[in-house]
Short mmCIF file of all heavy atoms in Angstrom, two decimals:
data_model
loop_
_atom_site.label_atom_id
_atom_site.label_comp_id
_atom_site.label_asym_id
_atom_site.label_seq_id
_atom_site.Cartn_x
_atom_site.Cartn_y
_atom_site.Cartn_z
N MET A 1 0.84 -1.23 0.00
CA MET A 1 -0.02 -0.02 0.02
C MET A 1 0.90 1.26 -0.03
O MET A 1 1.57 1.54 -0.96
CB MET A 1 -0.90 0.01 1.21
CG MET A 1 -2.00 -1.07 1.13
SD MET A 1 -3.16 -0.80 -0.24
CE MET A 1 -4.13 0.54 0.43
N ARG A 38 -29.36 38.52 -14.37
CA ARG A 38 -28.71 39.07 -15.59
C ARG A 38 -27.18 39.05 -15.35
O ARG A 38 -26.43 38.72 -16.29
CB ARG A 38 -29.16 40.50 -15.81
CG ARG A 38 -28.70 41.13 -17.10
CD ARG A 38 -29.18 42.54 -17.21
NE ARG A 38 -28.90 43.09 -18.51
CZ ARG A 38 -29.72 42.93 -19.59
NH1 ARG A 38 -30.80 42.24 -19.45
NH2 ARG A 38 -29.40 43.47 -20.75
N LEU A 45 -21.84 34.12 -20.17
CA LEU A 45 -21.71 34.49 -21.57
C LEU A 45 -20.33 35.02 -21.87
O LEU A 45 -19.67 34.68 -22.87
CB LEU A 45 -22.79 35.45 -21.98
CG LEU A 45 -24.21 34.88 -22.03
CD1 LEU A 45 -25.28 36.01 -22.06
CD2 LEU A 45 -24.37 33.96 -23.24
N ASP A 55 -37.38 34.03 -18.24
CA ASP A 55 -38.00 35.09 -17.45
C ASP A 55 -39.41 35.33 -17.98
O ASP A 55 -39.82 34.76 -19.00
CB ASP A 55 -37.13 36.40 -17.61
CG ASP A 55 -37.27 37.29 -16.37
OD1 ASP A 55 -38.37 37.45 -15.86
OD2 ASP A 55 -36.20 37.82 -15.98
N ASP A 81 -42.77 31.17 -16.80
CA ASP A 81 -43.18 31.35 -15.40
C ASP A 81 -42.58 30.14 -14.67
O ASP A 81 -42.87 28.99 -14.99
CB ASP A 81 -44.69 31.34 -15.29
CG ASP A 81 -45.20 31.44 -13.87
OD1 ASP A 81 -44.44 31.16 -12.93
OD2 ASP A 81 -46.36 31.85 -13.69
N GLU A 86 -44.60 23.17 -17.96
CA GLU A 86 -44.51 23.31 -19.40
C GLU A 86 -43.50 24.41 -19.83
O GLU A 86 -42.67 24.22 -20.69
CB GLU A 86 -45.90 23.66 -19.90
CG GLU A 86 -46.13 23.50 -21.34
CD GLU A 86 -47.49 24.12 -21.81
OE1 GLU A 86 -48.39 24.23 -20.98
OE2 GLU A 86 -47.54 24.47 -22.99
N ARG A 90 -39.95 23.97 -21.74
CA ARG A 90 -39.76 24.66 -23.00
C ARG A 90 -38.38 25.38 -23.00
O ARG A 90 -37.64 25.37 -24.01
CB ARG A 90 -40.88 25.56 -23.33
CG ARG A 90 -40.97 25.94 -24.80
CD ARG A 90 -41.99 26.96 -25.17
NE ARG A 90 -43.26 26.90 -24.50
CZ ARG A 90 -43.69 27.80 -23.59
NH1 ARG A 90 -42.98 28.86 -23.30
NH2 ARG A 90 -44.87 27.64 -22.98
N ALA A 106 -28.01 25.35 -13.54
CA ALA A 106 -29.29 26.02 -13.38
C ALA A 106 -29.12 27.09 -12.31
O ALA A 106 -28.76 26.79 -11.16
CB ALA A 106 -30.39 25.05 -13.00
N LEU A 134 -44.67 32.15 -1.79
CA LEU A 134 -44.11 30.82 -1.64
C LEU A 134 -44.10 30.07 -2.97
O LEU A 134 -43.17 29.28 -3.25
CB LEU A 134 -44.82 30.02 -0.58
CG LEU A 134 -44.07 30.08 0.77
CD1 LEU A 134 -44.49 31.34 1.59
CD2 LEU A 134 -44.30 28.87 1.61
N PHE A 142 -37.92 24.89 -6.79
CA PHE A 142 -37.94 23.43 -6.80
C PHE A 142 -38.27 22.90 -8.19
O PHE A 142 -37.66 21.91 -8.69
CB PHE A 142 -38.92 22.88 -5.76
CG PHE A 142 -38.92 21.38 -5.74
CD1 PHE A 142 -37.84 20.69 -5.14
CD2 PHE A 142 -39.95 20.62 -6.28
CE1 PHE A 142 -37.80 19.33 -5.14
CE2 PHE A 142 -39.87 19.26 -6.29
CZ PHE A 142 -38.83 18.59 -5.70
N ASN A 143 -39.28 23.52 -8.83
CA ASN A 143 -39.70 23.07 -10.18
C ASN A 143 -38.54 23.16 -11.18
O ASN A 143 -38.28 22.18 -11.88
CB ASN A 143 -40.84 23.97 -10.62
CG ASN A 143 -41.50 23.50 -11.90
OD1 ASN A 143 -41.66 22.30 -12.10
ND2 ASN A 143 -41.90 24.43 -12.73
N SER A 148 -34.48 20.54 -14.34
CA SER A 148 -33.10 20.67 -14.84
C SER A 148 -32.28 19.41 -14.47
O SER A 148 -31.50 18.94 -15.28
CB SER A 148 -32.40 21.89 -14.17
OG SER A 148 -33.13 23.07 -14.54
N ARG A 151 -32.81 16.60 -16.83
CA ARG A 151 -32.01 16.69 -18.11
C ARG A 151 -30.53 16.38 -17.82
O ARG A 151 -29.90 15.68 -18.56
CB ARG A 151 -32.09 18.10 -18.66
CG ARG A 151 -33.53 18.56 -18.95
CD ARG A 151 -34.17 17.89 -20.09
NE ARG A 151 -35.55 18.32 -20.30
CZ ARG A 151 -35.99 18.99 -21.28
NH1 ARG A 151 -35.22 19.38 -22.24
NH2 ARG A 151 -37.28 19.30 -21.36
N GLY A 164 -23.53 18.28 -13.15
CA GLY A 164 -24.03 19.62 -13.23
C GLY A 164 -24.23 20.20 -11.84
O GLY A 164 -23.96 19.58 -10.82
N LYS A 188 -37.83 32.04 1.51
CA LYS A 188 -36.38 31.96 1.32
C LYS A 188 -35.78 30.94 2.35
O LYS A 188 -34.80 30.26 2.09
CB LYS A 188 -35.73 33.32 1.48
CG LYS A 188 -36.14 34.31 0.39
CD LYS A 188 -35.74 33.79 -0.99
CE LYS A 188 -35.88 34.87 -2.08
NZ LYS A 188 -35.49 34.39 -3.41
N GLY A 189 -36.42 30.90 3.58
CA GLY A 189 -36.02 29.90 4.55
C GLY A 189 -36.16 28.50 3.97
O GLY A 189 -35.35 27.61 4.17
N ALA A 203 -26.81 13.50 -5.04
CA ALA A 203 -25.39 13.08 -4.96
C ALA A 203 -25.09 11.84 -5.82
O ALA A 203 -24.11 11.81 -6.61
CB ALA A 203 -24.96 12.82 -3.51
N ILE A 237 -24.90 48.80 6.12
CA ILE A 237 -24.07 47.61 5.87
C ILE A 237 -22.63 47.91 6.39
O ILE A 237 -21.95 48.89 5.89
CB ILE A 237 -24.05 47.24 4.39
CG1 ILE A 237 -25.52 46.89 4.01
CG2 ILE A 237 -23.13 46.01 4.12
CD1 ILE A 237 -25.78 46.89 2.59
N GLY A 250 -22.56 37.62 -9.65
CA GLY A 250 -22.14 36.82 -10.79
C GLY A 250 -20.82 36.10 -10.51
O GLY A 250 -20.60 34.95 -10.84
N GLU A 254 -19.89 32.09 -10.44
CA GLU A 254 -18.72 31.45 -11.16
C GLU A 254 -17.93 30.61 -10.13
O GLU A 254 -17.51 29.50 -10.45
CB GLU A 254 -17.82 32.60 -11.69
CG GLU A 254 -16.51 32.00 -12.23
CD GLU A 254 -15.71 32.94 -13.07
OE1 GLU A 254 -15.99 34.17 -13.04
OE2 GLU A 254 -14.76 32.47 -13.74
N ILE A 267 -24.33 30.02 1.11
CA ILE A 267 -23.34 31.10 1.39
C ILE A 267 -24.06 32.36 1.65
O ILE A 267 -24.77 32.87 0.74
CB ILE A 267 -22.36 31.26 0.16
CG1 ILE A 267 -21.63 29.87 -0.05
CG2 ILE A 267 -21.37 32.35 0.41
CD1 ILE A 267 -20.73 29.86 -1.26
#
Side-chain angles (χ1 to χ4, degrees):
M1 291 295 285
R38 188 183 189 84
L45 289 165
D55 207 319
D81 178 339
E86 195 189 336
R90 200 185 320 112
L134 262 86
F142 182 73
N143 189 37
S148 301
R151 304 289 176 111
K188 296 300 191 177
I237 299 162
E254 173 167 14
I267 300 173

